Amino acid sequence: MTNQNNPEKKITILGIGNILFSDEGIGVHLVHQLMEEWSHLEDRVELVDGATDGLVLLDIVERSSHLIIIDSINAGKKPGTIIEVEQEEIPKYMGVKISLHQQSFMEVLALATMRGAIPEEMYMVGVQPLSLEWEVGLTPVVEEKLPQLKTLIQNRLQRWGVNV
């Protein structure tokens, strides 16, 4: 099912995570960098700090025809490994990680699907965390991946017809 309630492409770049737990906050850190660096984006592209908002994000997901999710992804890989996931594979990878916001965001995607308002295109990008300990700031191994993540997001936006 796709979002039938949205005739115009609405692209959302959603950074989720908890900045109080080191690498868990990568989505939020990166979306804030993008807000500063990409302030000139088209009106149809929205950058959102989703933090750990869970079900509050349902409206944002449902009004999006295209959704990019930025998050730390614990897939059992070497710390700093970049992981890309698309479409129906996204909930599987979200379920791997132990975090307060993950279960709630999985519920958001499930509810949007049940309501027939899931984005037609979904792309999740993130990094295997080194640390999920109580500490503000990213570890160096994860922080050094930010430029690569930006490039991947920029490439995805270009595939969807947006110039950055």
Side-chain angles (χ1 to χ4, degrees), residues 45-110:
V45 180
E46 181 179 18
L47 293 158
V48 177
D49 173 352
T52 59
D53 289 346
L55 291 175
V56 173
L57 300 173
L58 181 61
D59 180 58
I60 292 167
V61 169
E62 289 187 336
R63 70 177 184 235
S64 302
S65 63
H66 293 64
L67 178 64
I68 295 174
I69 305 159
I70 310 164
D71 197 6
S72 63
I73 303 172
N74 188 355
K77 306 281 185 185
K78 179 181 172 186
T81 301
I82 292 177
I83 300 159
E84 298 177 90
V85 188
E86 297 189 53
Q87 299 302 102
E88 62 276 350
E89 292 296 311
I90 290 172
K92 292 179 188 174
Y93 277 85
M94 297 191 86
V96 172
K97 188 167 93 171
I98 299 172
S99 109
L100 297 174
H101 71 275
Q102 285 297 258
Q103 189 62 35
S104 295
F105 197 75
M106 286 172 46
E107 291 171 4
V108 167
L109 294 179

Side-chain angles (χ1 to χ4, degrees), residues 9-14 42 44-45 64-69 85-87 90 119-124 152-163:
K9 283 185 183 178
K10 175 66 175 176
I11 299 170
T12 303
I13 301 171
L14 176 63
E42 303 173 28
R44 67 186 174 121
V45 180
S64 302
S65 63
H66 293 64
L67 178 64
I68 295 174
I69 305 159
V85 188
E86 297 189 53
Q87 299 302 102
I90 290 172
E120 62 191 66
E121 295 285 338
M122 291 192 300
Y123 171 69
M124 182 175 174
L152 290 170
I153 293 166
Q154 183 175 3
N155 291 344
R156 183 57 53 134
L157 289 172
Q158 287 174 337
R159 280 181 56 185
W160 293 344
V162 176
N163 289 319

Side-chain angles (χ1 to χ4, degrees), residues 77-82 126-130 141-142 144-145 148:
K77 306 281 185 185
K78 179 181 172 186
T81 301
I82 292 177
V127 177
Q128 173 72 41
L130 173 64
V141 70
V142 169
E144 72 182 17
K145 299 299 180 176
Q148 290 173 274

